């Protein structure tokens, strides 16, 4: 154990060169390469803890209509039109006035001619009322949503009636020229039948193109419309797939397609349909046509968002190219002008990545990179107040999606490579007051910082430390946020000295943590805990959303871990141990173990192990060392809870450097308890217990008690079992044995049987040529290095001393190990 004592109770250091040096001290002027490693293992420790449990959010949702912002204020719910906005395309055809009539109920007695007359009459009246509108746009605002099913007759799609052997004769009674009860869309011309389009409308269409449309496309459109009217969605599905195939193989998805606008208008007529099959085909075909206007693309992406809200629709995304079309569409748009579209897109991805299969597919399609590009673009406008609310809404959806994507290893690497962690740090800095956004980012970082590469990347973000403190202050009562921020901080502080120093230099850092600790301990004291609290805390899991006993304790755990990891830095540790507001609450928690979970008590003991490492005279722990020792006695005696015993002995290993503490331990017969625990096969326990024994054997008046209770026999037994298995543990045992025989010229404590057993062990373990080897060369090298650095220097000196003072006849010459 380390020897940093400055008080009168400290372990006395030998100053005379004639006196032997106890092995728990490093001899003056001797550099021991393994000391740093040894100290890290036996004293200051990072407190391991689990990530705050977050139930996998498999809830899917639909955003519906997004709010409308004017001057960054939400003024109403958006009544976004689903009208198709005419998009520019490089064609020479003249604009056409399209007339849309509401559908009339089907009538079995009505002839096709009478239906045609009624349709023409209705079209004429609506056409007159809208004569002042722009002839290139379509306005559906006057049509009730349930009737907003715009359909195009085959005569509308086949404007040019160029006779050919591939073009069937169209008559008024054929299905291709009548749509039964469907809404009729046609070109209005004074000198023509309103159901038959003008040939001049597509005058730049070649005869071959016209024939292609008439023979391959129009019949499918007719079937699509009919199947929709008859609610035959299986037929609609088959027809939609066939239509996509025909359009694709004939390269008709290009914007140069002369009938693109009419077809898209038809698709948008289906957009309010509740059937998933219809939504799927409308979305897929529209994206394939590369709809580009802000409103059109927004409505299509909203449709996909609605689809993703039901897990039964996952097959639409698993079995075709819908995701490819979706990603292509998003990559083409200007992000800031399409914020609502991005929100719907992220909502869809969030829903889809709940599924493991779709999470894998989205990841393989570089979904993280696409989101990161959107993320970076949006953050450029973070300072513009007029769009801040919209940006914030968008960031909530992006971070909710990234949270799911962060689970995959390949994606985690992209978070580092593409500076996504830096982007998240910016969100923490500029949107601190937005609780939902802070929780999303905290959930992402709590996943990422479990990995060293991500953790060290966040360490390099200078703004994050101040941001974390602001969040801890601003959202103190929101457990789900606080527990994660503290977990993230704990990870950073465990892995980086730079993080420990930088965070502690922030104004009010220690005060903020102390206030949190007090607030949540007080909250914990007000919660009535059931008698089976221990069982509940080991089986029930929560997200920290409620003031339950477990969620409150979870926050306390994470705050204590932050303090403990901060203390790994000596500069910080000395500040913390002098702050009674940090230390006294830990004593209070130890004093009431039945009111708290085992997990919390373990965290307190581990924190006290780190903090008790520093024995500065101004330390609150040093000043209250005897009281703390008495509190620990009940924990080290509880053999049923071995973790309590281990952590309790670790703290006592530090405290027992003080003579007054050693007196308390001997008076309480801890020496006997420590020897009994030497029979354990728990390696961690043996390290902790033997550390206390080393300190107890410093006092000559205490050695007789240890020998009387078979202490030597127990230690020799541990040595025999640990050689060739754990050279560090064997080294510790040798240090304790040295202290046993540290009596100048007095008679040795060891009897002949004990000496014989020791010499047998040394005869096998102090010769390098007798070291055991394996087939693993790397493992053998590590084993040999530990033997050379840890065991040999201690055991060889002990052997010489025993041989000299014991006058043993069967000694051997020890070779010098460089």
């Amino acid at each position: 154990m380390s020897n940093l004592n400055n008080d009168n109770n400290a372990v006395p250091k030998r100053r005379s060169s004639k006196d032997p040096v106890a092995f728990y001290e490093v001899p003056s002027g001797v550099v021991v390469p393994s000391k740093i490693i040894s100290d890290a293992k036996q004293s200051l420790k990072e407190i391991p803890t689990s990530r705050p449990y977050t139930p996998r959010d498999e809830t899917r949702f639909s955003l519906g209509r997004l709010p409308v912002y004017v001057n960054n204020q939400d003024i109403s719910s958006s009544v976004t039109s689903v009208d198709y906005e005419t998009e520019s395309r490089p064609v020479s055809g003249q604009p056409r006035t399209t007339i849309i009539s509401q559908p009339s109920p089907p009538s079995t007695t009505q002839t096709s001619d009478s239906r045609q007359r009624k349709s023409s009459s209705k079209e004429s009246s609506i056409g007159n009322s809208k004569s002042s509108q722009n002839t290139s746009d379509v306005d559906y605002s006057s049509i009730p949503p349930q009737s907003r099913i715009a359909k195009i007759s085959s005569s509308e799609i086949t404007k040019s009636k160029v006779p050919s052997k591939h073009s069937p004769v169209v008559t008024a009674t054929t299905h291709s020229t009548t749509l039964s009860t469907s809404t009729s869309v046609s070109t209005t011309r004074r000198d023509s039948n309103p159901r038959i389009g003008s040939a001049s409308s597509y005058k730049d269409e070649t005869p071959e193109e016209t024939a292609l449309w008439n023979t391959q496309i129009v019949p499918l459109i007719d079937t699509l419309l009919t199947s929709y009217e008859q609610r035959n969605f299986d037929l609609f599905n088959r027809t939609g797939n066939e239509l996509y195939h025909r359009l694709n193989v004939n390269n008709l998805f290009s914007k140069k397609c002369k009938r693109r606008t009419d077809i898209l208008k038809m698709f948008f007529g289906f957009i309010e349909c509740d059937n998933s099959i219809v939504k799927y085909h409308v979305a897929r075909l529209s994206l394939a046509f590369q709809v580009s206007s802000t409103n059109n693309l927004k409505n299509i992406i909203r449709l996909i968002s609605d689809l993703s809200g039901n897990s039964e629709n996952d097959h639409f995304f698993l079995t075709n190219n819908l995701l490819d079309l979706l990603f292509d569409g998003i990559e083409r748009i200007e992000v800031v002008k399409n914020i609502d579209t991005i929100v719907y897109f992220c909502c869809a991805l969030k829903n889809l990545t709940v599924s493991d299969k779709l999470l894998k597919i989205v990841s393989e399609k570089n979904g993280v990179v696409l989101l990161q590009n959107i993320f970076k673009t949006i953050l450029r406008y973070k300072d513009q107040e007029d769009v801040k609310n919209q940006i914030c809404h968008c960031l909530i959806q992006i971070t909710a999606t990234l949270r799911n994507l962060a689970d995959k290893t390949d994606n985690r690497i992209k978070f580092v490579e593409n500076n996504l962690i830096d982007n998240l740090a910016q969100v923490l800095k500029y949107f601190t007051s937005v609780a939902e956004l802070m929780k999303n980012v905290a959930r992402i970082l709590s996943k990422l910082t479990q990995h060293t590469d991500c953790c060290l990347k966040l360490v390099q973000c200078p703004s994050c430390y101040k941001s974390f403190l602001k969040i801890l202050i601003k959202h103190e009562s929101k457990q789900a946020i606080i527990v994660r921020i503290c977990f993230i901080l704990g990870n950073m502080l465990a892995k980086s000295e730079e993080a420990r120093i930088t965070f502690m230099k922030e104004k009010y850092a220690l005060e903020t943590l102390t206030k949190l600790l007090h607030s949540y301990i007080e909250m914990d004291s007000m919660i009535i805990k059931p008698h089976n609290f221990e069982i509940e805390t080991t089986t029930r899991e929560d997200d920290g959303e409620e003031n339950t006993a477990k969620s409150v304790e979870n926050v306390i755990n994470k705050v204590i871990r932050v303090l403990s990891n901060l203390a790994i830095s000596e500069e910080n540790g000395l500040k913390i141990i002098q702050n009674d507001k940090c230390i006294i609450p830990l004593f209070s928690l130890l004093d009431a173990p039945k009111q708290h979970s085992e997990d919390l008590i373990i965290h307190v003991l581990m924190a006290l192990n780190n903090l008790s490492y520093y024995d500065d005279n101004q330390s609150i722990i040093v000043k209250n060392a005897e009281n703390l020792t008495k509190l620990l006695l009940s924990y080290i005696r509880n053999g049923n809870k071995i973790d309590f015993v281990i952590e309790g002995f670790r703290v006592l290993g530090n405290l027992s450097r003080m003579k007054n503490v050693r007196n308390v331990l001997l008076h309480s017969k801890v020496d006997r308890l420590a020897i009994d625990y030497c029979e354990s096969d728990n390696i961690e326990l043996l390290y902790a217990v033997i550390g206390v024994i080393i300190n107890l054997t410093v006092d000559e008046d205490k050695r007789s008690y240890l020998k009387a209770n078979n202490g030597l026999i127990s230690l020799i037994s541990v040595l025999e079992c640990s050689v060739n298995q754990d050279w560090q543990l064997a080294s510790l045992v040798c240090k304790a044995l040295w202290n046993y025989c540290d009596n100048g010229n007095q008679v040795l404590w060891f009897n002949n049987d004990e000496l014989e057993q020791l010499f047998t062990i040394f005869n096998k373990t102090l010769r390098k040529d007798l070291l055991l080897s394996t087939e693993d060369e790397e493992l053998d090298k590590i084993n040999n290095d530990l033997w050379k650095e840890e065991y040999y220097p201690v055991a060889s000196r002990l052997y010489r001393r025993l041989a000299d003072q014991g006058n043993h006849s069967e000694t051997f010459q020890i070779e010098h190990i460089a």
Side-chain angles (χ1 to χ4, degrees):
M1 307 311 259
S2 183
N3 204 26
L4 302 175
N5 304 26
N6 296 317
D7 63 336
N8 295 330
N9 293 321
V11 178
K13 292 185 178 180
R14 292 176 175 79
R15 301 299 180 188
S16 172
S17 59
K18 297 180 180 180
D19 292 332
V21 180
F23 274 111
Y24 61 86
E25 298 175 10
V26 178
S28 176
V30 176
V31 178
V32 182
S34 63
K35 185 178 187 303
I36 296 175
I37 300 174
S38 180
D39 281 351
K41 182 171 184 180
Q42 299 176 31
S43 54
L44 299 181
K45 295 178 179 292
E46 189 272 317
I47 297 182
T49 187
S50 59
R51 183 171 65 85
Y53 175 76
T54 302
R56 184 164 184 176
D57 185 7
E58 297 185 354
T59 304
R60 304 200 187 197
F61 59 93
S62 176
L63 289 177
R65 300 296 176 85
L66 297 177
V68 173
Y69 291 98
V70 174
N71 295 327
N72 209 31
Q73 297 295 319
D74 178 6
I75 60 171
S76 66
S77 295
S78 173
V79 189
T80 306
S81 171
V82 294
D83 303 351
Y84 171 71
E85 294 180 347
T86 302
E87 301 180 3
S88 60
R89 58 181 176 84
V91 295
S92 58
Q94 296 181 358
R96 301 177 300 128
T97 302
T98 305
I99 299 177
I100 303 173
S101 66
Q102 282 188 251
S104 57
S107 172
T108 57
T109 61
Q110 203 172 39
T111 65
S112 60
D113 287 340
S114 63
R115 287 197 300 270
Q116 182 175 331
R117 285 194 297 271
K118 289 186 177 181
S119 178
S120 299
S121 175
K122 186 170 292 186
E123 288 166 1
S124 299
S125 62
I126 296 177
N128 291 333
S129 66
K130 296 187 178 288
S131 59
S132 62
Q133 293 185 357
N134 187 318
T135 58
S136 24
D137 292 331
V138 180
D139 186 359
Y140 287 77
S141 58
S142 63
I143 304 176
Q146 65 271 21
S147 304
R148 204 175 286 172
I149 310 296
K151 301 178 183 179
I152 302 177
S153 67
S154 57
S155 62
E156 183 71 13
I157 300 296
T158 60
K159 294 298 176 183
S160 298
K161 294 298 175 184
V162 181
S164 74
K165 62 181 180 179
H166 301 293
S167 179
V169 177
V170 179
T171 65
T173 58
T174 61
H175 180 71
S176 61
T177 58
T178 60
L179 294 176
S180 301
T181 60
S182 67
T183 302
S184 175
V185 180
S186 65
T187 302
T188 56
R189 296 185 59 201
R190 294 180 182 178
D191 56 349
S192 67
N193 186 316
R195 298 189 58 79
I196 304 298
S198 168
S200 65
S201 297
Y202 294 121
K203 63 183 180 180
D204 54 344
E205 189 174 81
T206 67
E208 290 76 14
E209 289 173 330
T210 301
L212 173 64
W213 278 95
N214 289 344
T215 58
Q216 296 192 39
I217 308 301
V218 172
L220 292 175
I221 291 175
D222 285 335
T223 305
L224 200 69
L225 295 170
T226 303
S227 61
Y228 179 83
E229 292 169 7
Q230 297 174 354
R231 303 191 66 79
N232 186 347
F233 296 118
D234 288 337
L235 177 59
F236 190 98
N237 186 41
R238 293 193 299 271
T239 307
N241 287 329
E242 179 63 20
L243 178 60
Y244 182 94
H245 172 71
R246 294 285 183 177
L247 290 168
N248 189 42
V249 297
N250 290 293
N251 196 29
L252 295 176
F253 282 129
S254 167
K255 281 199 172 185
K256 294 182 179 180
C257 172
K258 301 176 178 65
R259 310 196 190 196
R260 177 178 180 275
T261 298
D262 287 330
I263 294 182
L264 284 173
K265 286 178 182 178
M266 179 188 70
F267 293 155
F268 270 70
F270 294 122
I271 208 168
E272 292 292 348
C273 179
D274 290 333
N275 185 272
S276 296
I277 292 175
V278 176
K279 288 182 179 180
Y280 158 67
H281 285 290
V282 170
R284 188 185 184 208
L285 287 160
S286 298
L287 288 175
F289 271 114
Q290 298 185 13
V291 290
S292 58
S293 81
T294 299
N295 199 47
N296 289 346
L297 186 59
K298 176 176 65 176
N299 283 313
I300 294 303
I301 305 301
R302 179 170 66 85
L303 206 63
I304 293 175
S305 176
D306 290 343
L307 272 178
S308 69
N310 188 336
S311 61
E312 294 181 359
N313 296 329
D314 284 356
H315 65 280
F316 292 130
F317 300 90
L318 288 167
T319 57
N320 57 70
N321 65 337
L322 182 56
L323 276 176
D324 293 318
L325 294 170
L326 175 61
F327 281 23
D328 289 342
I330 294 298
E331 287 175 344
R332 289 194 305 270
I333 66 174
E334 188 174 345
V335 171
V336 178
K337 292 183 178 179
N338 294 271
I339 290 291
D340 285 355
T341 302
I342 297 298
V343 171
Y344 286 127
F345 168 69
C346 291
C347 175
L349 279 196
K350 187 271 176 188
N351 288 338
L352 295 176
T353 50
V354 167
S355 161
D356 289 333
K357 291 181 180 179
L358 283 167
L359 173 61
K360 181 180 179 181
I361 292 175
V362 170
S363 301
E364 290 172 348
K365 294 182 184 297
N366 279 328
V368 170
V369 177
L370 177 55
L371 282 173
Q372 191 259 350
N373 292 334
I374 295 171
F375 204 171
K376 286 177 62 177
T377 302
I378 288 178
L379 285 175
R380 294 175 193 157
Y381 297 84
K382 60 186 177 296
D383 294 320
Q384 295 191 10
E385 289 298 326
D386 57 330
V387 293
K388 193 167 186 178
N389 282 342
Q390 287 174 284
I391 287 176
C392 185
H393 193 184
C394 190
L395 288 174
I396 288 173
Q397 297 303 320
I398 291 176
T399 51
T401 309
L402 289 173
R403 171 193 168 195
N404 292 346
L405 291 168
D407 284 327
K408 289 188 68 67
T409 301
D410 292 344
N411 290 338
R412 174 175 58 78
I413 295 172
K414 292 173 184 175
F415 272 80
V416 177
E417 294 176 345
N418 297 329
N419 293 323
L420 258 171
I421 293 177
D422 296 321
N423 298 147
L424 293 169
Q426 286 190 59
V427 173
L428 293 173
K429 179 179 179 180
Y430 291 98
F431 298 90
T432 306
S433 61
V434 185
E436 186 175 0
L437 189 50
M438 292 302 97
K439 184 165 70 173
N440 282 350
V441 175
R443 281 172 166 169
I444 297 170
L445 293 177
S446 67
K447 292 181 180 182
L448 296 178
T449 54
Q450 293 179 103
H451 306 277
T452 302
D453 54 348
C454 293
C455 197
L456 295 181
K457 184 71 173 178
L458 186 59
V459 167
Q460 301 303 315
C461 297
S463 67
C464 73
Y465 304 98
K466 188 181 295 294
S467 297
F468 286 145
L469 280 173
K470 288 182 178 180
I471 293 169
L472 293 177
I473 295 170
K474 178 74 175 178
H475 303 289
E476 179 182 333
S477 62
K478 295 181 174 62
Q479 296 170 31
I481 298 177
I482 298 299
V483 73
R484 285 169 178 79
I485 294 298
C486 288
F487 177 72
I488 296 163
L489 267 174
N491 292 341
M492 295 169 64
L493 301 176
K495 293 179 172 67
S496 169
E497 177 72 3
E498 177 186 350
R500 291 189 280 269
I501 298 300
T502 305
F503 180 77
M504 199 66 163
K505 287 181 179 179
E506 289 292 338
K507 192 175 182 180
Y508 304 123
L510 190 57
E511 290 83 351
T512 299
L513 294 172
T514 302
K515 185 175 183 297
L516 272 178
L517 184 61
H518 280 264
S519 297
Y520 276 87
I521 288 178
E522 182 179 357
M523 190 185 303
D524 180 70
S525 67
M526 298 170 63
I527 297 175
I528 300 176
K529 300 178 181 178
H531 67 282
N532 60 342
F533 175 60
E534 241 3 291
I535 298 176
E536 287 196 356
T537 56
T538 58
T539 58
R540 182 181 181 275
E541 307 224 9
D542 68 274
D543 192 22
E545 297 286 2
E546 300 177 359
N547 294 339
T548 62
K550 183 179 180 182
S551 62
V552 172
E553 280 203 356
N554 206 5
V555 175
I556 299 173
N557 275 338
K558 299 305 184 283
V559 175
I560 290 174
R561 178 175 178 247
V562 171
L563 290 169
S564 180
N565 290 349
L566 274 172
I568 295 175
S569 167
E570 182 175 359
E571 181 182 345
N572 296 340
L574 292 174
K575 290 180 182 178
I576 294 172
I577 61 175
Q578 294 176 22
N579 189 321
D580 58 345
K581 292 182 179 179
C582 288
I583 304 302
I584 298 303
L586 302 181
F587 285 24
S588 301
L589 292 171
L590 278 188
D591 199 23
K594 293 183 179 179
Q595 298 176 26
H596 306 290
S597 67
E598 291 183 18
D599 190 43
L600 177 58
I601 297 299
I602 290 296
H603 274 73
V604 173
L605 290 171
M606 295 177 92
L608 286 171
N609 175 46
N610 280 7
L611 294 168
S612 61
Y613 176 80
Y614 306 103
D615 56 357
D616 184 85
N617 287 332
Q618 299 302 313
S619 168
I620 305 300
I621 293 177
V622 169
K623 293 178 180 179
N624 295 275
E626 290 187 36
N627 291 334
L628 177 55
T629 301
K630 292 174 183 178
L631 283 175
L632 292 171
L633 293 178
S634 62
Y635 292 99
I636 64 174
R637 288 170 176 159
N638 191 345
N640 294 326
K641 297 180 179 178
I642 198 66
D643 288 339
F644 283 2
V645 178
I646 294 171
E647 297 305 330
F649 267 105
R650 281 175 175 162
V651 179
L652 289 175
N654 290 329
L655 296 179
S656 59
R657 293 172 301 187
M658 293 175 278
K659 186 167 184 176
N660 59 334
V661 170
R662 296 196 295 272
N663 291 337
V664 172
L665 294 178
L666 189 67
H667 179 75
S668 304
K669 300 182 179 180
V670 171
D671 57 323
R672 297 184 185 182
L673 186 62
I675 291 170
D676 289 341
Y677 282 134
C678 284
E679 301 297 324
S680 173
D681 59 358
N682 187 306
I683 299 298
E684 289 187 75
L685 178 58
L686 289 175
Y687 268 101
V689 165
I690 293 174
V692 172
I693 291 176
I694 289 174
N695 285 349
L696 286 175
T697 54
V698 168
D699 299 328
E700 188 171 345
D701 61 333
K702 297 179 176 61
R703 295 172 193 157
S704 59
Y705 293 97
L706 293 165
K707 179 174 176 59
N709 293 290
N710 296 320
L712 288 178
I713 296 174
S714 297
L715 287 173
I716 293 172
S717 177
V718 173
L719 177 63
E720 192 171 30
C721 294
S722 61
V723 290
N724 287 316
Q725 303 294 324
D726 190 333
W727 292 118
Q728 289 178 309
L729 180 59
S731 173
L732 279 179
V733 175
C734 288
K735 293 176 184 179
L737 291 173
W738 175 279
N739 285 354
Y740 262 124
C741 60
D742 186 19
N743 299 295
N745 296 320
Q746 296 181 15
V747 180
L748 283 170
W749 289 100
F750 304 96
N751 59 37
N752 288 334
D753 290 339
E754 292 166 347
L755 285 173
E756 186 71 29
Q757 192 174 358
L758 283 171
F759 282 125
T760 300
I761 295 171
F762 291 143
N763 187 44
K764 294 179 180 177
T765 60
L766 289 177
R767 297 178 180 179
K768 190 173 183 179
D769 59 312
L770 296 179
L771 289 179
L772 299 178
S773 61
T774 66
E775 295 180 357
D776 189 332
E777 293 183 3
E778 185 176 353
L779 183 61
D780 287 342
K781 183 180 184 306
I782 294 173
N783 190 52
N784 290 340
D785 288 345
L786 286 172
W787 174 84
K788 178 181 177 181
E789 294 181 5
E790 297 283 351
Y791 176 74
Y792 183 85
V794 180
S796 60
R797 292 179 69 186
L798 177 60
Y799 168 76
R800 290 191 187 98
R801 189 175 204 184
L802 293 175
D804 291 344
Q805 295 186 8
N807 297 318
H808 198 271
S809 58
E810 297 182 7
T811 58
F812 61 93
Q813 185 66 33
I814 300 177
E815 60 181 310
H816 176 70
I817 304 296

